[in-house]
Amino acid sequence: MKRHIDKVHLNPTQDSIPHENGGGLVKEGANNIDINTETIDGKDIFHSMSRAVFQIRHYNEEPNIDQSKIKRTKERSIQIDDSAFSLSACMPFVKPETRETACRNKNVYGNITDCASKLFNTSEMLWVLLRSISRKNLDIPVLFPTDVPQKIPFWTGYNSCLSNFKPHFSIVSYTPIIDIKPNDMATVYTTMRKCVDMTVAMGQKYSVQTFDQQLYSIAKQVAWTMPETFRYHIIRLGGFNTLSCFIVAIGKLWGDGGLKDLLVDSSVYASETVDQMMNGKEFNRAVRALTLAFGDLYVSLLSAFFN
């Protein structure tokens, strides 16, 4: 494994290519790292902020850049000297006295409606329709063979069959760990500043950084406090946390409107399991339950349409 320290990152595989040399989009993900957490006395527990940098590459890409490698040795750790200490040190940050709030957007409902109309996809309706043929639970006014086995996979397999192959992959680079409490504002501020400096050094105007739900809320507070510093900094919530928030929103809106009763009375899920799913827990079960509920509601809609 190749390891080295420079102004940008630690890279165990290949160097990230700057934009001027044909490099792709550079993104970063930051999360807390917990090591040695199960000690008897609760001491010597390691809580820090870890970062990973991702860059998209194409399979047929031949980067025009010199890559120097360090010889592999038995040593598994890197000695941090004074010149590299700044890469893992925390920057000073003064916590704001008042809690900042985001600016309210105008015409929110109109913007959401425009996005919803553009994202409408008939593949969802076709998935329900094709899976209902072999189940014989939909009275379609067209002659179909009744002895056809189920050949349409579930939602994930169905979309995998329809997706296009992307001839690219991601190169992962690892930066020095910031050895400070992760949920501190100074730690999050340091992580954001290092991400901005890294993307500027790579020749990229906008910096993209992904956090989990807890660190995302702190990062937004920092960005609202210093809008000019992070003017071109895009903060993203991770995909898992984004879907969990959507599941919680669905539970808040339609949980007491019959969704919980539908899942429990169908004898598919227990009552306590449904409560956990509507609160954002039991993620895999919640995704499957909502997919099944979506299919059943669409079958009712199609049945009313054909009748």
mmCIF file of all heavy atoms in Angstrom, residues 154-156 239-241 243-244 247 263 268-269 273-274 276-293:
data_model
loop_
_atom_site.group_PDB
_atom_site.id
_atom_site.type_symbol
_atom_site.label_atom_id
_atom_site.label_comp_id
_atom_site.label_asym_id
_atom_site.label_seq_id
_atom_site.Cartn_x
_atom_site.Cartn_y
_atom_site.Cartn_z
ATOM 1 N N PHE A 154 -37.895 -7.902 -8.006
ATOM 2 C CA PHE A 154 -38.376 -6.870 -7.088
ATOM 3 C C PHE A 154 -37.762 -5.522 -7.484
ATOM 4 O O PHE A 154 -37.021 -5.409 -8.456
ATOM 5 C CB PHE A 154 -38.049 -7.252 -5.643
ATOM 6 C CG PHE A 154 -38.898 -6.555 -4.622
ATOM 7 C CD1 PHE A 154 -40.259 -6.782 -4.570
ATOM 8 C CD2 PHE A 154 -38.338 -5.655 -3.727
ATOM 9 C CE1 PHE A 154 -41.054 -6.127 -3.640
ATOM 10 C CE2 PHE A 154 -39.113 -4.995 -2.802
ATOM 11 C CZ PHE A 154 -40.476 -5.230 -2.754
ATOM 12 N N TRP A 155 -38.059 -4.508 -6.699
ATOM 13 C CA TRP A 155 -37.770 -3.130 -7.088
ATOM 14 C C TRP A 155 -36.290 -2.905 -7.401
ATOM 15 O O TRP A 155 -35.948 -2.303 -8.420
ATOM 16 C CB TRP A 155 -38.229 -2.208 -5.964
ATOM 17 C CG TRP A 155 -38.051 -0.754 -6.254
ATOM 18 C CD1 TRP A 155 -37.176 0.100 -5.667
ATOM 19 C CD2 TRP A 155 -38.758 0.016 -7.225
ATOM 20 N NE1 TRP A 155 -37.301 1.361 -6.192
ATOM 21 C CE2 TRP A 155 -38.272 1.339 -7.156
ATOM 22 C CE3 TRP A 155 -39.765 -0.275 -8.143
ATOM 23 C CZ2 TRP A 155 -38.751 2.356 -7.970
ATOM 24 C CZ3 TRP A 155 -40.230 0.738 -8.952
ATOM 25 C CH2 TRP A 155 -39.724 2.037 -8.860
ATOM 26 N N THR A 156 -35.397 -3.408 -6.557
ATOM 27 C CA THR A 156 -33.973 -3.166 -6.778
ATOM 28 C C THR A 156 -33.478 -3.875 -8.031
ATOM 29 O O THR A 156 -32.772 -3.280 -8.862
ATOM 30 C CB THR A 156 -33.162 -3.637 -5.558
ATOM 31 O OG1 THR A 156 -33.638 -2.972 -4.386
ATOM 32 C CG2 THR A 156 -31.681 -3.335 -5.733
ATOM 33 N N GLY A 239 -26.747 9.432 1.622
ATOM 34 C CA GLY A 239 -27.925 8.790 1.044
ATOM 35 C C GLY A 239 -28.751 8.021 2.056
ATOM 36 O O GLY A 239 -29.993 8.094 2.056
ATOM 37 N N PHE A 240 -28.097 7.291 2.950
ATOM 38 C CA PHE A 240 -28.815 6.538 3.977
ATOM 39 C C PHE A 240 -29.595 7.466 4.889
ATOM 40 O O PHE A 240 -30.779 7.223 5.185
ATOM 41 C CB PHE A 240 -27.817 5.694 4.774
ATOM 42 C CG PHE A 240 -28.400 5.071 6.011
ATOM 43 C CD1 PHE A 240 -29.201 3.938 5.917
ATOM 44 C CD2 PHE A 240 -28.154 5.607 7.259
ATOM 45 C CE1 PHE A 240 -29.749 3.368 7.057
ATOM 46 C CE2 PHE A 240 -28.682 5.038 8.394
ATOM 47 C CZ PHE A 240 -29.493 3.921 8.296
ATOM 48 N N ASN A 241 -28.963 8.544 5.355
ATOM 49 C CA ASN A 241 -29.647 9.480 6.238
ATOM 50 C C ASN A 241 -30.754 10.229 5.518
ATOM 51 O O ASN A 241 -31.788 10.553 6.117
ATOM 52 C CB ASN A 241 -28.639 10.471 6.820
ATOM 53 C CG ASN A 241 -27.568 9.806 7.657
ATOM 54 O OD1 ASN A 241 -26.411 9.706 7.237
ATOM 55 N ND2 ASN A 241 -27.932 9.336 8.831
ATOM 56 N N LEU A 243 -32.670 9.040 3.033
ATOM 57 C CA LEU A 243 -33.816 8.131 2.948
ATOM 58 C C LEU A 243 -34.475 7.928 4.304
ATOM 59 O O LEU A 243 -35.704 7.799 4.395
ATOM 60 C CB LEU A 243 -33.368 6.790 2.367
ATOM 61 C CG LEU A 243 -32.945 6.809 0.900
ATOM 62 C CD1 LEU A 243 -32.470 5.427 0.465
ATOM 63 C CD2 LEU A 243 -34.094 7.260 0.007
ATOM 64 N N SER A 244 -33.679 7.909 5.369
ATOM 65 C CA SER A 244 -34.253 7.765 6.710
ATOM 66 C C SER A 244 -35.142 8.963 7.041
ATOM 67 O O SER A 244 -36.224 8.807 7.637
ATOM 68 C CB SER A 244 -33.134 7.634 7.744
ATOM 69 O OG SER A 244 -32.371 6.460 7.528
ATOM 70 N N ILE A 247 -38.386 8.531 5.215
ATOM 71 C CA ILE A 247 -39.235 7.527 5.861
ATOM 72 C C ILE A 247 -39.926 8.120 7.082
ATOM 73 O O ILE A 247 -41.120 7.880 7.330
ATOM 74 C CB ILE A 247 -38.402 6.296 6.234
ATOM 75 C CG1 ILE A 247 -37.933 5.578 4.965
ATOM 76 C CG2 ILE A 247 -39.205 5.331 7.108
ATOM 77 C CD1 ILE A 247 -36.971 4.442 5.223
ATOM 78 N N LEU A 263 -50.113 -1.964 7.337
ATOM 79 C CA LEU A 263 -48.978 -2.869 7.512
ATOM 80 C C LEU A 263 -49.222 -3.885 8.609
ATOM 81 O O LEU A 263 -48.767 -5.035 8.511
ATOM 82 C CB LEU A 263 -47.718 -2.050 7.817
ATOM 83 C CG LEU A 263 -47.273 -1.067 6.731
ATOM 84 C CD1 LEU A 263 -46.074 -0.263 7.200
ATOM 85 C CD2 LEU A 263 -46.940 -1.801 5.440
ATOM 86 N N VAL A 268 -48.210 -8.753 7.970
ATOM 87 C CA VAL A 268 -46.858 -8.786 7.424
ATOM 88 C C VAL A 268 -45.846 -8.336 8.465
ATOM 89 O O VAL A 268 -44.765 -8.913 8.596
ATOM 90 C CB VAL A 268 -46.761 -7.916 6.164
ATOM 91 C CG1 VAL A 268 -45.349 -7.937 5.595
ATOM 92 C CG2 VAL A 268 -47.753 -8.404 5.110
ATOM 93 N N TYR A 269 -46.209 -7.308 9.247
ATOM 94 C CA TYR A 269 -45.298 -6.763 10.260
ATOM 95 C C TYR A 269 -46.049 -6.638 11.580
ATOM 96 O O TYR A 269 -47.261 -6.419 11.600
ATOM 97 C CB TYR A 269 -44.757 -5.390 9.838
ATOM 98 C CG TYR A 269 -43.947 -5.423 8.570
ATOM 99 C CD1 TYR A 269 -44.522 -5.066 7.351
ATOM 100 C CD2 TYR A 269 -42.615 -5.797 8.578
ATOM 101 C CE1 TYR A 269 -43.789 -5.088 6.184
ATOM 102 C CE2 TYR A 269 -41.871 -5.824 7.410
ATOM 103 C CZ TYR A 269 -42.460 -5.471 6.223
ATOM 104 O OH TYR A 269 -41.732 -5.505 5.071
ATOM 105 N N THR A 273 -42.773 -3.348 15.369
ATOM 106 C CA THR A 273 -41.882 -3.210 14.213
ATOM 107 C C THR A 273 -42.306 -2.041 13.335
ATOM 108 O O THR A 273 -41.463 -1.270 12.845
ATOM 109 C CB THR A 273 -41.863 -4.507 13.400
ATOM 110 O OG1 THR A 273 -41.469 -5.584 14.246
ATOM 111 C CG2 THR A 273 -40.887 -4.409 12.238
ATOM 112 N N VAL A 274 -43.607 -1.880 13.143
ATOM 113 C CA VAL A 274 -44.103 -0.773 12.327
ATOM 114 C C VAL A 274 -43.793 0.565 12.983
ATOM 115 O O VAL A 274 -43.415 1.536 12.310
ATOM 116 C CB VAL A 274 -45.618 -0.933 12.085
ATOM 117 C CG1 VAL A 274 -46.187 0.301 11.401
ATOM 118 C CG2 VAL A 274 -45.888 -2.173 11.253
ATOM 119 N N GLN A 276 -41.254 1.224 14.905
ATOM 120 C CA GLN A 276 -39.831 1.467 14.695
ATOM 121 C C GLN A 276 -39.548 1.928 13.265
ATOM 122 O O GLN A 276 -38.728 2.828 13.032
ATOM 123 C CB GLN A 276 -39.034 0.190 15.005
ATOM 124 C CG GLN A 276 -39.009 -0.202 16.470
ATOM 125 C CD GLN A 276 -38.215 0.778 17.310
ATOM 126 O OE1 GLN A 276 -37.209 1.319 16.862
ATOM 127 N NE2 GLN A 276 -38.656 1.005 18.527
ATOM 128 N N MET A 277 -40.226 1.322 12.310
ATOM 129 C CA MET A 277 -40.005 1.700 10.911
ATOM 130 C C MET A 277 -40.452 3.128 10.638
ATOM 131 O O MET A 277 -39.774 3.879 9.926
ATOM 132 C CB MET A 277 -40.754 0.725 9.983
ATOM 133 C CG MET A 277 -40.179 -0.682 9.964
ATOM 134 S SD MET A 277 -40.882 -1.723 8.666
ATOM 135 C CE MET A 277 -42.613 -1.717 9.097
ATOM 136 N N MET A 278 -41.580 3.534 11.197
ATOM 137 C CA MET A 278 -42.075 4.880 10.971
ATOM 138 C C MET A 278 -41.234 5.941 11.674
ATOM 139 O O MET A 278 -41.354 7.130 11.373
ATOM 140 C CB MET A 278 -43.535 4.991 11.429
ATOM 141 C CG MET A 278 -44.516 4.145 10.633
ATOM 142 S SD MET A 278 -44.647 4.594 8.888
ATOM 143 C CE MET A 278 -43.646 3.287 8.131
ATOM 144 N N ASN A 279 -40.393 5.518 12.619
ATOM 145 C CA ASN A 279 -39.496 6.445 13.312
ATOM 146 C C ASN A 279 -38.102 6.473 12.696
ATOM 147 O O ASN A 279 -37.174 7.036 13.281
ATOM 148 C CB ASN A 279 -39.390 6.075 14.791
ATOM 149 C CG ASN A 279 -40.676 6.343 15.549
ATOM 150 O OD1 ASN A 279 -41.407 7.279 15.232
ATOM 151 N ND2 ASN A 279 -40.964 5.528 16.553
ATOM 152 N N GLY A 280 -37.925 5.863 11.534
ATOM 153 C CA GLY A 280 -36.635 5.876 10.860
ATOM 154 C C GLY A 280 -35.728 4.728 11.201
ATOM 155 O O GLY A 280 -34.604 4.665 10.711
ATOM 156 N N LYS A 281 -36.183 3.798 12.055
ATOM 157 C CA LYS A 281 -35.391 2.624 12.397
ATOM 158 C C LYS A 281 -35.775 1.474 11.463
ATOM 159 O O LYS A 281 -36.657 1.603 10.626
ATOM 160 C CB LYS A 281 -35.626 2.229 13.855
ATOM 161 C CG LYS A 281 -35.503 3.379 14.829
ATOM 162 C CD LYS A 281 -34.108 3.952 14.860
ATOM 163 C CE LYS A 281 -33.988 5.071 15.889
ATOM 164 N NZ LYS A 281 -32.636 5.672 15.917
ATOM 165 N N GLU A 282 -35.083 0.334 11.639
ATOM 166 C CA GLU A 282 -35.377 -0.858 10.810
ATOM 167 C C GLU A 282 -35.409 -0.451 9.336
ATOM 168 O O GLU A 282 -36.422 -0.611 8.633
ATOM 169 C CB GLU A 282 -36.700 -1.498 11.241
ATOM 170 C CG GLU A 282 -36.749 -1.968 12.677
ATOM 171 C CD GLU A 282 -35.905 -3.220 12.898
ATOM 172 O OE1 GLU A 282 -35.550 -3.874 11.899
ATOM 173 O OE2 GLU A 282 -35.611 -3.524 14.064
ATOM 174 N N PHE A 283 -34.290 0.075 8.854
ATOM 175 C CA PHE A 283 -34.267 0.732 7.536
ATOM 176 C C PHE A 283 -34.667 -0.222 6.414
ATOM 177 O O PHE A 283 -35.533 0.105 5.589
ATOM 178 C CB PHE A 283 -32.869 1.291 7.291
ATOM 179 C CG PHE A 283 -32.701 1.940 5.945
ATOM 180 C CD1 PHE A 283 -33.186 3.216 5.720
ATOM 181 C CD2 PHE A 283 -32.077 1.271 4.910
ATOM 182 C CE1 PHE A 283 -33.042 3.814 4.474
ATOM 183 C CE2 PHE A 283 -31.927 1.863 3.672
ATOM 184 C CZ PHE A 283 -32.415 3.135 3.459
ATOM 185 N N ASN A 284 -34.059 -1.408 6.363
ATOM 186 C CA ASN A 284 -34.349 -2.334 5.255
ATOM 187 C C ASN A 284 -35.804 -2.780 5.260
ATOM 188 O O ASN A 284 -36.447 -2.875 4.203
ATOM 189 C CB ASN A 284 -33.425 -3.546 5.351
ATOM 190 C CG ASN A 284 -31.971 -3.182 5.100
ATOM 191 O OD1 ASN A 284 -31.684 -2.255 4.344
ATOM 192 N ND2 ASN A 284 -31.050 -3.901 5.720
ATOM 193 N N ARG A 285 -36.335 -3.050 6.449
ATOM 194 C CA ARG A 285 -37.744 -3.440 6.536
ATOM 195 C C ARG A 285 -38.653 -2.288 6.120
ATOM 196 O O ARG A 285 -39.683 -2.498 5.468
ATOM 197 C CB ARG A 285 -38.069 -3.888 7.955
ATOM 198 C CG ARG A 285 -37.444 -5.218 8.357
ATOM 199 C CD ARG A 285 -37.875 -5.615 9.745
ATOM 200 N NE ARG A 285 -37.358 -6.919 10.120
ATOM 201 C CZ ARG A 285 -37.572 -7.513 11.300
ATOM 202 N NH1 ARG A 285 -38.320 -6.885 12.202
ATOM 203 N NH2 ARG A 285 -37.053 -8.693 11.567
ATOM 204 N N ALA A 286 -38.295 -1.081 6.512
ATOM 205 C CA ALA A 286 -39.126 0.074 6.172
ATOM 206 C C ALA A 286 -39.164 0.303 4.666
ATOM 207 O O ALA A 286 -40.225 0.584 4.094
ATOM 208 C CB ALA A 286 -38.604 1.317 6.892
ATOM 209 N N VAL A 287 -38.022 0.172 4.006
ATOM 210 C CA VAL A 287 -37.983 0.360 2.546
ATOM 211 C C VAL A 287 -38.829 -0.697 1.851
ATOM 212 O O VAL A 287 -39.610 -0.387 0.930
ATOM 213 C CB VAL A 287 -36.524 0.323 2.047
ATOM 214 C CG1 VAL A 287 -36.470 0.320 0.527
ATOM 215 C CG2 VAL A 287 -35.739 1.511 2.588
ATOM 216 N N ARG A 288 -38.710 -1.938 2.296
ATOM 217 C CA ARG A 288 -39.515 -3.000 1.661
ATOM 218 C C ARG A 288 -41.009 -2.815 1.956
ATOM 219 O O ARG A 288 -41.846 -3.015 1.076
ATOM 220 C CB ARG A 288 -39.049 -4.371 2.157
ATOM 221 C CG ARG A 288 -39.817 -5.519 1.526
ATOM 222 C CD ARG A 288 -39.238 -6.871 1.898
ATOM 223 N NE ARG A 288 -40.020 -7.957 1.312
ATOM 224 C CZ ARG A 288 -39.883 -8.399 0.086
ATOM 225 N NH1 ARG A 288 -38.990 -7.851 -0.714
ATOM 226 N NH2 ARG A 288 -40.625 -9.392 -0.360
ATOM 227 N N ALA A 289 -41.343 -2.423 3.180
ATOM 228 C CA ALA A 289 -42.751 -2.234 3.529
ATOM 229 C C ALA A 289 -43.372 -1.108 2.709
ATOM 230 O O ALA A 289 -44.491 -1.239 2.195
ATOM 231 C CB ALA A 289 -42.878 -1.936 5.021
ATOM 232 N N LEU A 290 -42.662 -0.004 2.551
ATOM 233 C CA LEU A 290 -43.200 1.109 1.762
ATOM 234 C C LEU A 290 -43.282 0.750 0.283
ATOM 235 O O LEU A 290 -44.195 1.211 -0.421
ATOM 236 C CB LEU A 290 -42.335 2.349 1.966
ATOM 237 C CG LEU A 290 -42.342 2.949 3.374
ATOM 238 C CD1 LEU A 290 -41.399 4.132 3.464
ATOM 239 C CD2 LEU A 290 -43.752 3.364 3.774
ATOM 240 N N THR A 291 -42.346 -0.070 -0.197
ATOM 241 C CA THR A 291 -42.422 -0.516 -1.591
ATOM 242 C C THR A 291 -43.637 -1.401 -1.808
ATOM 243 O O THR A 291 -44.349 -1.280 -2.823
ATOM 244 C CB THR A 291 -41.141 -1.266 -1.971
ATOM 245 O OG1 THR A 291 -39.999 -0.453 -1.692
ATOM 246 C CG2 THR A 291 -41.146 -1.619 -3.455
ATOM 247 N N LEU A 292 -43.904 -2.309 -0.867
ATOM 248 C CA LEU A 292 -45.091 -3.170 -0.975
ATOM 249 C C LEU A 292 -46.376 -2.345 -0.895
ATOM 250 O O LEU A 292 -47.332 -2.599 -1.639
ATOM 251 C CB LEU A 292 -45.070 -4.223 0.133
ATOM 252 C CG LEU A 292 -43.962 -5.284 0.050
ATOM 253 C CD1 LEU A 292 -43.976 -6.166 1.295
ATOM 254 C CD2 LEU A 292 -44.111 -6.127 -1.201
ATOM 255 N N ALA A 293 -46.402 -1.374 0.018
ATOM 256 C CA ALA A 293 -47.592 -0.518 0.124
ATOM 257 C C ALA A 293 -47.791 0.294 -1.151
ATOM 258 O O ALA A 293 -48.928 0.479 -1.613
ATOM 259 C CB ALA A 293 -47.454 0.406 1.331
#
